[in-house]
Amino acid sequence: MVVISAASARLELKAPYHPTLPFRARQIGGVWLGAAIGWVFPLEQEQALRAVCLDIWAVDGTIAAKGDVIDLQITVGEDVPFRSVFEAHETPIYLVGREIAASLRNLRGARPGRGIQFLAGKPRCLTSPSTWSTSIPDGAVFVIRDVPRCAAKRFREAVGGAGLVEESAPRVAKARVTLLKSAR
């Protein structure tokens, strides 16, 4: 989850890793203080920091986005010779700031990102003698857990014609509804 908080005359950003964040953060005065604190910024950079968060993760860092979450189920259908959404050259596959899949360091396979569950198909590592790619095959189905509802539109735009995006209630809410129904 992406959260910006004010603490002792500075802003603190708690957010998952994204490869463009270090460069973008430094452009607006950000400094990395380690995993316990994260990125810190001058107070006067609040609007710029919120803009960076909106651009990368489609949320502005307010606590409100944390409370209204959904799960997204994505069915991959990128039936084109040159794939652009579900294949990444020598990097993990990202959608709206979330790591969807990454090749293992030994290049013998790939793993899902944090909060990603594959229901059908699985990510792959494609190798050649000089390079490698992470790929999610057509027909694969995966769920992205705990997506802020306000970011769902950006996920649909990012996937575009390369697949189908469907919304569902998060697991915790589903479990509560089931418990309430069985208690009646």
Side-chain angles (χ1 to χ4, degrees):
M1 235 357 120
V2 177
V3 177
I4 298 171
S5 57
S8 65
R10 67 183 187 198
L11 297 170
E12 294 181 358
L13 173 64
K14 297 279 188 188
Y17 175 78
H18 190 275
T20 64
L21 180 61
F23 176 76
R24 303 273 309 270
R26 287 185 186 102
Q27 284 184 313
I28 59 172
V31 177
W32 174 251
L33 293 183
I37 296 173
W39 285 93
V40 296
F41 299 84
L43 285 173
E44 61 271 9
Q45 292 296 335
E46 181 176 3
Q47 292 307 324
L49 177 56
R50 292 194 188 283
V52 167
C53 291
L54 277 168
D55 188 44
I56 295 174
W57 296 284
V59 295
D60 67 358
T62 57
I63 202 78
K66 257 180 107 167
D68 187 17
V69 295
I70 57 173
D71 291 347
L72 293 179
Q73 181 172 305
I74 299 178
T75 303
V76 178
E78 198 170 17
D79 297 320
V80 293
F82 300 104
R83 304 180 82 210
S84 61
V85 178
F86 295 107
E87 190 161 303
H89 181 69
E90 295 186 355
T91 64
I93 296 170
Y94 284 90
L95 278 178
V96 192
R98 294 283 294 264
E99 183 185 74
I100 305 302
S103 291
L104 301 174
R105 289 179 193 237
N106 64 10
L107 302 180
R108 293 182 183 223
R111 60 156 177 79
R114 184 174 288 140
I116 309 297
Q117 178 184 11
F118 278 81
L119 305 177
K122 62 182 183 177
R124 299 183 291 203
C125 178
L126 309 173
T127 61
S128 72
S130 61
T131 190
W132 57 273
S133 296
T134 305
S135 179
I136 301 173
D138 286 335
V141 179
F142 60 92
V143 175
I144 306 173
R145 303 276 183 214
D146 302 325
V147 175
R149 187 178 303 277
C150 60
K153 180 180 177 193
R154 279 278 300 283
F155 276 92
R156 283 188 191 83
E157 291 169 357
V159 171
L164 174 67
V165 179
E166 301 172 277
E167 273 185 41
S168 64
R171 297 171 295 186
V172 175
K174 287 179 188 175
R176 252 187 259 136
V177 168
T178 304
L179 286 173
L180 290 173
K181 286 181 180 177
S182 65
R184 289 182 193 172

